[in-house]
Amino acid sequence: MTLGFLGMKSPRGKLLAAFGLLLLAIAGCQIVAGIENRTANPLNQGCVLPPATSGGYNVRIANLAPTSDQVDVCMRPAGKSDWGLPVLLNGGVSGPPGADGGSTSPSCTALLGTAQQPVSGFVYGQVSVPMGAPAATIDVKMIPGGSGCGASAIAEQDGVALTQTALTTLMLMGGNGVGETVVALPETDQPPVGVQQYRFVHASPGLGPIDFGTAALKSLPTSVSLKILSSPVSYGGTVPSGTTQTSATVAVLDNGYVSFPGGNIPIAASLDSDASNKALFLWLTQGPDETFSMYVIGVQGDNTHPLRALVCEEDQAGLANSNGVTLPCSVSPLATLSVDTFNTALYGPNAPQFTARDSLIPAAIAARTSDVMCVVEVDFPNDMQSIISAALPANGGNFPYSYAAADKNINESTPFTNPQDQNGNVPQPTSQPPCAGVSTDLLNGAISCMEQNCSNQPPGDGTGVLDQPTSCLEDNCAGQILALEGASTNCYDCVVLNVAGDTSYGNTQTQCTTNSQPPIAFGGAENSLILSRYPLVNTDVFILPSTFYRRSILYAQVQLEDQTVDLYCGFLMTTENATVLPYEGSYGNGATDSQTAWNNEQTYEAQQFAQWVQQKSGSTNPPTPAIMVGDWHSSYAVSPDAGTPPSGAFLPNAINTATMDVFKNAGWTFTYPAVNSGSAWQPQCNDCPIQENPYNGSTDQYFFSQPMLVNWPQGSTATTDQSLFFTEGHVDLGADAGEGPLSTYYGVSVDVHRPQ
């Protein structure tokens, strides 16, 4: 079985419209530059731009200043005293003038925003369609959106000479401590023939001269492998006159344009002063016979206005967004960090198809191409080492770095990092072993039955261990086991836990009758693992308070090329043990029923986890960006009414949502929108019912591996993609039962924009 990508990315679309459509009704205004009064169209239902004409003087407007300014534009013949009316506010529609020369008539500025983000002018990153200019030489005044031409200028440029052979782009640049100004640059008058043309414009204030070239890779991070121009491009300008190409495959044209052959060519730019040629951005070209302007915009290190390329197609005069006023420009993708989470369910023969899956999982994990991977529920040391070894590049894997807290020598005696309960008290250790006072005959009867029917050794051999799922115990020894539970839930829990946790039958009996320490399966070993393509430094582990099973959070700082981010890889207690393992722990917060007690323990683990993240990542100045991944064994429900899931997908149900509420209330950003509004996409389960995953019961339908972010500058917009992996069949289930996947849980992968 195969599940598709949980697409959080939608393809970049283009909307083509004939320029004549701009003259039709779009929103109640007319736009005419340089004419103070004009009688409105009888319909008065649309924005009417000054028509761009062949052989006339034409311009387009671009707001490239990384500020919150909303910009309208006034134009007049050079030297004239009267500015007329702003281009966007009402463009000549008659109406009572305001105090600053504006008008109360309807305007088309509402077209430029959305219902959630109304605007009154061109916002940062918007580039207009062509429009006519009032003369061959004009004065240009950029004003606050919603103002009249009598308002104080944001920036002004007088005496701008236009040409009849090409459009002129009027760009507002500045910000980041650089004064705002109007820059006028002519566009190309050469149509592309079998090539793609790009004009390079440097509009990033505060950034030094940049070299354009082709990139070594087709994704960030990368470097400029070949500089294609003999001179760098400085702020406020385009390719300098006299610049030549350094590659035979490109050609330098007039007005800052460079031609490329067809195909997807990775264009990048680097600081001229950077000897390493680190790419500031990356753009894959589209194909032949198209002309674009590539504006380098934003501020280096500014996550609100990130440094990137704004790419706008210029070939067709009528190319416009649905608003009819702006071009459908695209921005270059930011560098991303890809993080995987996978619960292996490698907990011994009690796990479905354990032996077959155990042999396949290390190589499958090693082949993943993510940057970082959080792997949990690897309960045997030999399995942990097999995964680490397979993941090494020397063995064909992709992860040279790992952290499994082996240096901490975690075992059944390792204390919890914070042993206090919810009331601030440290639980007192028990003084009696779990099976104290239980009839020897009753205990011997249960153990003997297990040895005879469900052991890898002959009956009576105490060194034998459970060699198959616990259904064998239920089928053959239900009476003896239930009798043991009736006599003592403590003793029952201890026996079942040890047997299912790969302890021999003989040692199980010894542990439960002589050891007063609360039992913990698999020797209490750490069962989580971080794998990484990047160095891991300042590693740490938080041992969570837990009953019967080890639960913990691993921590590492991931050293990326330009920064470090904090990574937390966690595994919380399951609450699905309530029926088979009655709660006997110290962190149930006074609950008298097993289910509530297990729920309370898990939620308390989440609280300690959130506090630890605040201490480590929230106490720095500024706070350190952190990503929290793992298996929380809790899940919000996703309503089908909130969006359309992928075809045939099973939407998650709710389970112990109090744990998820802890994370939400800590200010963590969820990387899917079940909690964050604004998107119709919904995830499906990664712990899925039998219709999807044959290892599970018919009611399993949860999303346990919710990735989360905190202190991440882009917040809820940081996620670029989320998908499930290891969903396809690998294990032959026999008897025409099909194939099973690698685990009872599907892996979850998330890509997020890196903080700049």
Side-chain angles (χ1 to χ4, degrees):
M1 73 191 66
T2 301
L3 300 178
F5 287 101
L6 306 183
M8 293 193 73
K9 286 193 286 193
S10 56
R12 179 174 59 89
K14 292 184 178 180
L15 180 62
L16 301 178
F19 181 67
L21 292 178
L22 302 182
L23 306 180
L24 299 179
I26 300 181
C29 81
Q30 290 183 342
I31 302 178
V32 179
I35 304 176
E36 185 170 0
N37 292 294
R38 171 183 173 139
T39 302
N41 236 333
L43 295 177
N44 191 25
Q45 294 177 340
C47 281
V48 181
L49 295 171
T53 60
S54 176
Y57 298 99
N58 303 310
V59 298
R60 76 168 86 245
I61 311 300
N63 181 1
L64 308 180
T67 70
S68 60
D69 291 338
Q70 297 178 13
V71 177
D72 208 338
V73 182
C74 301
M75 293 184 291
R76 67 184 180 189
K80 296 289 185 179
S81 59
D82 187 3
W83 283 104
L85 294 169
V87 168
L88 290 179
L89 181 61
N90 48 29
V93 175
S94 297
D100 59 2
S103 169
T104 58
S105 295
S107 90
C108 71
T109 55
L111 291 176
L112 303 180
T114 66
Q116 292 76 32
Q117 295 179 315
V119 297
S120 57
F122 293 112
V123 298
Y124 168 65
Q126 285 187 324
V127 179
S128 79
V129 297
M131 65 185 72
T137 305
I138 61 173
D139 299 334
V140 181
K141 183 180 182 181
M142 304 283 191
I143 59 172
S147 303
C149 289
S152 298
I154 296 174
E156 183 176 339
Q157 182 68 36
D158 296 335
V160 176
L162 308 178
T163 174
Q164 290 180 296
T165 59
L167 278 164
T168 297
T169 313
L170 304 175
M171 296 167 275
L172 177 66
M173 295 187 189
N176 189 34
V178 178
E180 291 176 300
T181 186
V182 176
V183 175
L185 293 175
E187 298 183 9
T188 184
D189 57 359
Q190 301 179 36
V193 179
V195 296
Q196 46 191 334
Q197 301 178 159
Y198 281 81
R199 175 176 61 165
F200 299 138
V201 179
H202 185 343
S204 174
L207 191 70
I210 55 178
D211 294 304
F212 285 86
T214 54
L217 303 173
K218 290 189 176 182
S219 63
L220 290 172
T222 186
S223 61
V224 174
S225 58
L226 175 64
K227 297 179 181 179
I228 59 175
L229 302 176
S230 62
S231 301
V233 178
S234 298
Y235 169 71
T238 185
V239 178
S241 177
T243 299
T244 59
Q245 64 268 21
T246 61
S247 170
T249 61
V250 302
V252 178
L253 311 175
D254 292 338
N255 300 338
Y257 288 81
V258 177
S259 71
F260 295 85
N264 298 128
I265 299 171
I267 297 178
S270 61
L271 284 171
D272 187 55
S273 59
D274 181 8
S276 68
N277 299 322
K278 175 186 174 182
L280 302 171
F281 62 83
L282 178 70
W283 177 260
L284 289 178
T285 63
Q286 306 288 305
D289 301 322
E290 292 180 298
T291 300
F292 302 85
S293 275
M294 176 180 285
Y295 305 100
V296 181
I297 62 171
V299 176
Q300 191 172 31
D302 182 347
N303 286 289
T304 303
H305 307 99
L307 181 66
R308 61 204 309 183
L310 175 71
V311 182
C312 304
E313 187 175 355
E314 299 171 346
D315 288 326
Q316 302 179 47
L319 187 66
N321 272 317
S322 57
N323 59 32
V325 180
T326 61
L327 293 179
C329 301
S330 300
V331 291
S332 60
L334 297 173
T336 59
L337 181 70
S338 60
V339 183
D340 287 353
T341 300
F342 180 49
N343 185 326
T344 65
L346 290 180
Y347 51 88
N350 189 39
Q353 300 291 332
F354 173 74
T355 302
R357 295 188 302 104
D358 191 28
S359 65
L360 297 173
I361 283 176
I365 288 176
R368 291 291 297 172
T369 58
S370 53
D371 293 317
V372 184
M373 196 167 188
C374 171
V375 182
V376 301
E377 202 161 21
V378 186
D379 285 312
F380 296 95
N382 61 317
D383 285 334
M384 184 77 72
Q385 190 53 51
S386 293
I387 292 172
I388 293 172
S389 178
L392 291 172
N395 297 325
N398 293 312
F399 302 102
Y401 305 98
S402 63
Y403 178 61
D407 57 317
K408 305 294 185 180
N409 191 30
I410 298 170
N411 55 50
E412 67 272 14
S413 301
T414 303
F416 305 136
T417 301
N418 177 11
Q420 292 182 344
D421 63 17
Q422 290 90 329
N423 298 311
N425 302 316
V426 177
Q428 295 301 306
T430 57
S431 58
Q432 295 290 325
C435 290
V438 174
S439 164
T440 302
D441 291 342
L442 195 64
L443 180 58
N444 286 342
I447 295 292
S448 296
C449 181
M450 297 178 191
E451 286 181 345
Q452 290 173 11
N453 295 282
C454 310
S455 176
N456 65 348
Q457 298 296 328
D461 188 339
T463 64
V465 297
L466 180 69
D467 62 347
Q468 55 193 292
T470 52
S471 58
C472 175
L473 306 179
E474 299 169 10
D475 294 340
N476 295 282
C477 306
Q480 293 89 333
I481 293 173
L482 289 175
L484 189 63
E485 182 181 14
S488 169
T489 54
N490 274 323
C491 185
Y492 162 85
D493 282 344
C494 182
V495 170
V496 171
L497 180 78
N498 276 279
V499 169
D502 202 49
T503 302
S504 70
Y505 291 107
N507 284 339
T508 293
Q509 189 160 4
T510 300
Q511 287 290 320
C512 295
T513 56
T514 63
N515 190 353
S516 62
Q517 181 175 300
I520 185 165
F522 305 106
E526 167 59 39
N527 53 14
S528 298
L529 167 67
I530 297 175
L531 299 172
S532 177
R533 292 178 50 225
Y534 295 97
L536 302 172
V537 298
N538 297 324
T539 53
D540 201 355
V541 61
F542 192 100
I543 307 299
L544 294 166
S546 59
T547 302
F548 297 156
Y549 295 98
R550 176 67 69 207
R551 292 296 184 261
S552 61
I553 308 293
L554 299 180
Y555 166 83
Q557 289 182 328
V558 184
Q559 283 192 326
L560 305 177
E561 295 86 352
D562 55 348
Q563 63 184 300
T564 61
V565 297
D566 286 352
L567 176 82
Y568 297 85
C569 170
F571 188 25
L572 301 187
M573 180 57 66
T574 178
T575 62
E576 296 173 293
N577 282 336
T579 301
V580 296
L581 287 174
Y583 189 81
E584 295 291 346
S586 302
Y587 300 95
N589 202 23
T592 57
D593 68 283
S594 181
Q595 186 64 69
T596 302
W598 281 111
N599 289 355
N600 290 345
E601 178 172 296
Q602 184 198 78
T603 301
Y604 185 49
E605 290 177 343
Q607 292 169 348
Q608 289 203 5
F609 179 20
Q611 292 168 2
W612 196 48
V613 171
Q614 175 59 30
Q615 292 168 8
K616 279 194 166 297
S617 303
S619 60
T620 58
N621 187 20
T624 306
I627 182 167
M628 288 71 66
V629 288
D631 186 326
W632 319 125
H633 249 76
S634 61
S635 174
Y636 277 128
V638 178
S639 169
D641 297 333
T644 302
S647 177
F650 292 87
L651 296 181
N653 294 327
I655 181 170
N656 199 27
T657 57
T659 291
M660 303 307 294
D661 289 342
V662 169
F663 301 144
K664 181 181 177 183
N665 294 334
W668 296 0
T669 299
F670 291 65
T671 60
Y672 77 95
V675 181
N676 304 325
S677 61
S679 173
W681 178 85
Q682 299 292 347
Q684 69 177 88
C685 52
N686 81 302
D687 180 29
C688 298
I690 195 169
Q691 298 95 318
E692 276 291 338
N693 192 326
Y695 302 144
N696 294 328
S698 60
T699 60
D700 296 328
Q701 195 163 316
Y702 308 114
F703 189 62
F704 280 159
S705 296
Q706 170 63 68
M708 294 168 286
L709 305 169
V710 71
N711 309 325
W712 214 272
Q714 298 92 342
S716 60
T717 64
T719 304
T720 66
D721 186 50
Q722 186 166 289
S723 60
L724 298 182
F725 64 92
F726 292 164
T727 60
E728 64 277 7
H730 287 274
V731 180
D732 184 3
L733 301 180
D736 298 323
E739 294 182 325
L742 286 176
S743 175
T744 55
Y745 310 95
Y746 297 144
V748 176
S749 182
V750 62
D751 288 353
V752 294
H753 291 307
R754 299 189 191 196
Q756 292 205 48

